[in-house]
Amino acid sequence: MKTIFLVDDSATMLMSLSEILQKAGFTVQTAADGADALSQFKAGAKPDLVITDQNMPGLTGIELIRETRKLPTFRFTPILMLTTESQQAKRQEGKAAGATGWLVKPVAGKDLLGVIKQVLPGA
Amino acid sequence: MQISNPLKVLAASVGWEQGQAWLNQQWLKFRGRVATVPAPEVVPPTDCAACRVTLEYSYKITQSFDEPLRLVMRETEQSALDIMGRVKDLDHTASQLVNYLTKADQDTLDMHAQIQNSSVSIERIGQFMQQLPEKIEAERQGSAELVEKINQIMELSATAEAIKDISRLTNMVAINAAIQAAHAGEYGRGFTVVADEVRRLSTRSGEAADQIGQTVKSIHQAIHAYLDSRLQRDFAHDLREAAHVAESAHQLQASHEDMNQYYKTLLTVVKEYNSNMANAIVEALGNMQYQDVVRQRLERVLIAQTRYRDVLQAALDDPALPSSPRFKADMEQVLSAYLEEESHHGDQSNAEGGDESSAPMIELF
């Protein structure tokens, strides 16, 4: 069973995405902001996929990706941005930081699961 | 407004009489130019009651929006969480229903296996039914042998008759012997005793033979009666029971097949409904993301309002500011910053529209 790590400061987002992913058979871990996520990664959490928001207090999503990519165990872990931000410049910034893909909120459940299937073969 | 002539005052003070007329002429020319292009009246905001009221109330009104907007964010978030909790419960209930039906489906499979076993039993019953006439015939034959044995017992009755005949003859002989003994007188006295004894024994033998004959007949009749009634009763009962068992087995098999089909249909229908419901639940949960989208939009409005109030506060603190170009520039900056920030965020309602929003909602790098 694959594990997906959700990072978002919105309780609504965490709950709705957790339910969708758990129903699809994934194990879900969560963090309410970038700093919490990063500390969990450093403490040994090793998800198969990370989905993060961009605008969060403290560490932004792009900053989180930048820091996470420095961890050896996360060099090839797919990381998706799920944010209300849609401008091209920000996407390029995310891509440069190491994001695997960019999803603009809100994304339909079946579309999200479709993207996960693409970045997590065999999921 | 009364404007004094400063040049006149200056000329008088210095005693510059010659230039007085010229200076006066220049003043009149200057004043004429001023009069043709009236200068805007510069009135500090503090002197404009209406302006100050506008500034103050713009500040207060936008400030009063803040708390309701935050309340909307909190309440919509709480509502979204509540709805998701209920959806989760609904999903749990639906899952339980499917689990129940899956178990029922398994039970149906088990029942199917039982039906197969029942079919074997029914097959056996059928075979039994087919063999039943032979068995009945065999039993009848067994009964016939029994009757033959009983008939042999009846021969005892004939033997008893023979004994009776012998007894009668013996009696006749004994009587003759007694007569002859009487003729013999004293010499035949002992013989007479023997003849009497023989006759008495003959009578008792006849009675015993008669009794045996009666008893044998009685037994023969009783056994015949018993066998007839048992055969009739048991065979009819066995036939009825066998037919009943066969019919019950067929009904049982039909019921099992009906139940099997019913469960299969029910499970298929409920699984389809459950699948549709699961999809609807996933979409409903996905739609909960709108709460976060709305929250972030309201947060951007709140930030813009705070910046707007900062500019208003500066104008209230500095009465000269509203008349300066900086005030307008500050306002413009607040507006453009808000619009710029807003344009950076996806708008589903305009997804087909402008340049930014036409960017794909999902992009894999």
Side-chain angles (χ1 to χ4, degrees), chain B residues 58-357:
Chain B
S58 293
Y59 185 97
K60 287 178 181 173
I61 287 168
T62 59
Q63 191 178 35
S64 70
F65 290 161
D66 284 5
E67 191 48 36
L69 288 177
R70 289 196 182 92
L71 192 63
V72 165
M73 287 192 283
R74 285 197 300 272
E75 286 181 346
T76 54
E77 182 176 64
Q78 190 54 53
S79 295
L81 292 173
D82 288 347
I83 290 168
M84 280 190 286
R86 289 173 195 276
V87 168
K88 200 174 167 181
D89 291 344
L90 193 65
D91 189 39
H92 179 65
T93 304
S95 298
Q96 279 185 323
L97 179 64
V98 169
N99 289 341
Y100 169 75
L101 283 170
T102 303
K103 188 180 177 304
D105 188 39
Q106 184 57 48
D107 291 346
T108 307
L109 290 175
D110 294 343
M111 267 198 288
H112 190 67
Q114 287 176 356
I115 289 167
Q116 296 297 325
N117 291 335
S118 298
S119 297
V120 172
S121 300
I122 289 164
E123 187 68 27
R124 285 180 185 160
I125 290 169
Q127 288 173 355
F128 170 77
M129 290 294 290
Q130 283 177 340
Q131 294 167 356
L132 193 60
E134 294 172 18
K135 287 183 178 177
I136 291 171
E137 185 56 34
E139 192 143 346
R140 278 190 187 281
Q141 282 181 3
S143 298
E145 285 174 10
L146 186 61
V147 169
E148 194 179 338
K149 296 287 182 193
I150 293 166
N151 287 340
Q152 287 175 359
I153 291 171
M154 273 299 290
E155 289 174 7
L156 286 174
S157 180
T159 305
E161 282 298 322
I163 291 170
K164 277 173 72 178
D165 288 343
I166 293 168
S167 174
R168 276 195 296 274
L169 287 172
T170 305
N171 192 35
M172 292 277 291
V173 170
I175 290 169
N176 287 332
I179 292 168
Q180 292 301 323
H183 288 302
E186 190 62 27
Y187 300 102
R189 191 174 302 270
F191 193 72
T192 299
V193 173
V194 173
D196 286 344
E197 190 60 27
V198 169
R199 197 175 57 185
R200 198 176 57 84
L201 282 174
S202 167
T203 302
R204 284 181 58 191
S205 297
E207 287 172 357
D210 193 40
Q211 198 171 3
I212 287 169
Q214 291 296 327
T215 304
V216 166
K217 277 183 184 172
S218 175
I219 289 171
H220 182 262
Q221 284 172 352
I223 289 174
H224 262 292
Y226 169 74
L227 281 176
D228 284 347
S229 70
R230 190 184 76 83
L231 285 172
Q232 296 257 335
R233 188 180 65 245
D234 288 358
F235 292 156
H237 178 260
D238 288 350
L239 278 170
R240 277 199 308 276
E241 284 299 306
H244 179 67
V245 168
E247 179 60 25
S248 297
H250 281 299
Q251 284 180 357
L252 187 64
Q253 188 178 25
S255 299
H256 277 182
E257 282 171 2
D258 284 350
M259 195 179 291
N260 190 20
Q261 191 56 44
Y262 169 75
Y263 267 103
K264 279 197 180 305
T265 306
L266 185 66
L267 188 65
T268 304
V269 170
V270 172
K271 272 187 172 173
E272 191 177 329
Y273 274 117
N274 190 65
S275 173
N276 292 340
M277 194 163 80
N279 289 335
I281 285 171
V282 166
E283 292 311 311
L285 290 168
N287 285 337
M288 291 300 162
Q289 295 171 65
Y290 276 108
Q291 191 278 328
D292 186 47
V293 173
V294 170
R295 178 184 67 85
Q296 292 194 36
R297 193 162 282 168
L298 291 177
E299 279 177 351
R300 292 193 291 276
V301 170
L302 282 169
I303 290 169
Q305 284 194 161
T306 303
R307 288 174 181 162
Y308 177 54
R309 279 201 303 277
D310 288 345
V311 175
L312 292 177
Q313 185 62 58
L316 286 168
D317 293 343
D318 179 5
L321 184 62
S323 58
S324 72
R326 189 188 139 204
F327 182 68
K328 187 183 176 187
D330 287 349
M331 286 292 194
E332 189 61 42
Q333 207 276 329
V334 168
L335 179 62
S336 61
Y338 170 70
L339 294 176
E340 171 77 6
E341 185 66 21
E342 199 58 34
S343 72
H344 289 170
H345 295 80
D347 181 358
Q348 289 278 32
S349 61
N350 285 328
E352 307 296 325
D355 292 340
E356 281 290 1
S357 55

Side-chain angles (χ1 to χ4, degrees), chain A residues 10 12-13 15-16 19 23 84-88 91 99-107 110 115 118, chain B residues 77 80 84 88 91 283 285 288-292 296 344-346 348 356 359-365:
Chain A
S10 161
T12 311
M13 285 299 297
M15 190 169 177
S16 67
E19 282 301 309
K23 271 185 76 63
T84 57
E85 300 233 24
S86 60
Q87 77 273 29
Q88 207 54 248
R91 291 176 191 236
T100 309
W102 195 278
L103 288 80
V104 179
K105 290 180 188 175
V107 61
K110 63 178 187 317
V115 170
Q118 287 186 60
Chain B
E77 182 176 64
M84 280 190 286
K88 200 174 167 181
D91 189 39
E283 292 311 311
L285 290 168
M288 291 300 162
Q289 295 171 65
Y290 276 108
Q291 191 278 328
D292 186 47
Q296 292 194 36
H344 289 170
H345 295 80
Q348 289 278 32
E356 281 290 1
M361 301 299 281
I362 296 173
E363 184 179 10
L364 291 179
F365 302 133

